[in-house]
């Protein structure tokens, strides 16, 4: 028999003390009944408490599992997005290869068609050469023969950055971009306001909605083009007037996987503007691989053509494009002398024989950027906190035959 609990014994004594005397003979039965009802109630409360504890424990486990799953979902979403982008490029490349293999398979079925295929291939090469010549057949026919002088326009404490004018506009505005990862652009009304800090009006501060990576930014017809930070190969077209992203593209060919220049430790895609428009320079596969030159149509933000160049990224610090020709600047260990020792001309009119004595005026450190401006025919450079302008000496190219 179960022993009475202290609470129940107290209840019995309490009822016995206060019940009227005539009913004392019936008190034990009534007390026993009440005691049993309290026992049932206590058992129900204990069961309810235990069930509640079980539910709470299960809910904690469920909440913990949901938190872990949400974290995994975020990771998987980022990975899937990157994988989808890479897959799209691979599918596009595979489709081109399949089309080419299908073309070869059909050609192999008939030996008599070999001459026709060869003729078509030669014709395609001729058409491709004509297309490239048309693409680069602007009024510009100059080639670089010397760097005459330099002018230090401004001195800052920042060792890395870029500065420029709009390469396709007569606007006198100067744009100042500090650092290799930032989203703030300073707009000065002219070069004098840029040189003198106390000149009025003060520069306008433009906060971009995205941050750039490296020092390869350019401005073309009111749009800032830059490599989007946190992405391997995304180029952003940003309207400085509307302060919005107008367009974006992914540069193919393995762009952004390696540094463009060995002595430019923050730039993975270097953009440039010349008389022919917008270009991109990036390193090919491998350690200190060869540079790849890509012509970009700035309106539609699409690739027009790409070339594998003989210029290597090893010991390179910067490059620029003048009249459709890529000039790469090299230095030993990131220090002077700074010399243009590799050139690539898609039309083949300029070779390394034309590079004699193409030295820059002596500077202690390597350049973090060198960009050519086709409007004023000068180089804009950043060297160890100094914003520099280089004046150039050019001559006419050899005529195409």
């Amino acid at each position: 028999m179960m022993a009475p609990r202290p609470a129940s014994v107290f209840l019995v004594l309490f009822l016995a003390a206060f019940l009227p005397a005539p009913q004392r003979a019936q008190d034990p039965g009534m007390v026993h009944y009440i005691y049993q009802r309290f026992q049932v109630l206590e058992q129900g409360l204990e069961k309810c408490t235990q069930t509640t504890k079980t539910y709470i424990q299960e809910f904690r486990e469920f909440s913990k599992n949901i938190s872990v799953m949400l974290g995994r979902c975020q990771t998987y979403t980022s990975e899937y997005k990157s994988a989808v982008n890479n897959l799209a490029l691979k599918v596009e490349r595979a489709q081109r290869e399949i089309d080419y293999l299908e073309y070869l398979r059909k050609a192999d079925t008939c030996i008599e068609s070999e001459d026709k295929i060869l003729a078509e291939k030669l014709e395609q090469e001729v058409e491709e050469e004509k297309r490239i010549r048309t693409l680069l057949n602007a009024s510009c026919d100059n080639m670089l023969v010397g760097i005459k002088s330099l002018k230090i326009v401004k001195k800052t404490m920042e060792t890395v950055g870029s500065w420029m004018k709009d390469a396709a506009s007569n606007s006198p505005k100067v744009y100042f971009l500090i650092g290799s990862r930032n989203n703030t652009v300073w707009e000065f009304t002219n070069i004098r306001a840029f040189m003198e800090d106390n000149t009025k009006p003060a520069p306008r501060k433009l906060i971009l909605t995205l941050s750039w990576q490296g020092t390869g930014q350019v401005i073309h017809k009111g749009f800032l083009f830059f490599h989007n930070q946190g992405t391997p190969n995304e180029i952003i077209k940003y309207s400085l007037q509307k302060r919005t992203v107008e367009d974006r593209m992914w540069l193919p060919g393995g762009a952004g996987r390696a540094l463009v220049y060995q002595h430019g430790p923050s730039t993975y895609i270097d953009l440039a503007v010349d008389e022919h428009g917008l270009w991109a320079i990036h390193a090919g596969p491998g350690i200190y691989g060869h540079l790849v030159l890509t012509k970009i149509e700035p309106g539609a933000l699409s690739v027009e053509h790409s070339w594998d160049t003989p210029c290597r990224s090893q010991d390179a610090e910067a490059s620029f494009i003048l009249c459709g020709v890529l000039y790469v600047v090299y230095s030993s260990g990131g220090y002077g002398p700074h010399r243009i020792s590799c050139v690539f001309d898609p039309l083949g009119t300029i070779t390394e024989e034309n590079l004699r004595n193409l030295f820059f005026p002596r500077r202690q450190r390597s350049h973090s950027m060198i960009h050519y401006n086709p409007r004023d025919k000068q180089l804009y450079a950043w060297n160890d906190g100094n914003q520099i302008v280089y004046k150039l000496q050019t001559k006419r190219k050899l005529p195409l035959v």
Side-chain angles (χ1 to χ4, degrees), residues 66-115:
I66 289 296
S67 298
V68 173
M69 294 174 66
L70 287 176
R72 291 176 180 174
C73 285
Q74 292 178 352
T75 302
Y76 292 155
T77 300
S78 178
E79 293 177 353
Y80 289 157
K81 183 178 179 181
S82 177
V84 168
N85 292 335
N86 294 333
L87 180 61
L89 295 176
K90 292 180 180 179
V91 169
E92 182 181 357
R93 184 181 302 170
Q95 185 62 49
R96 291 198 302 266
E97 293 177 354
I98 291 172
D99 293 340
Y100 180 69
L101 292 175
E102 182 67 14
Y103 175 80
L104 293 181
R105 186 187 67 80
K106 292 180 180 179
D108 291 339
T109 60
C110 183
I111 300 177
E112 296 179 356
S113 64
E114 289 183 357
D115 293 339

Side-chain angles (χ1 to χ4, degrees), residues 24 57 89 93 107 122 133 156 166 171 174 210 221 230-232 241 253 279 293 304 319 335-336 353 359 386 388 397:
R24 288 186 181 273
Q57 182 64 28
L89 295 176
R93 184 181 302 170
L122 292 175
R133 291 196 177 197
T156 63
D166 192 326
S171 172
V174 176
L210 297 172
K221 295 183 178 179
T231 67
Q241 181 179 6
W279 302 77
L293 178 64
E304 294 184 294
S319 70
Y335 298 90
E353 296 178 358
F359 285 92
N386 298 310
I388 302 171
K397 293 181 184 178

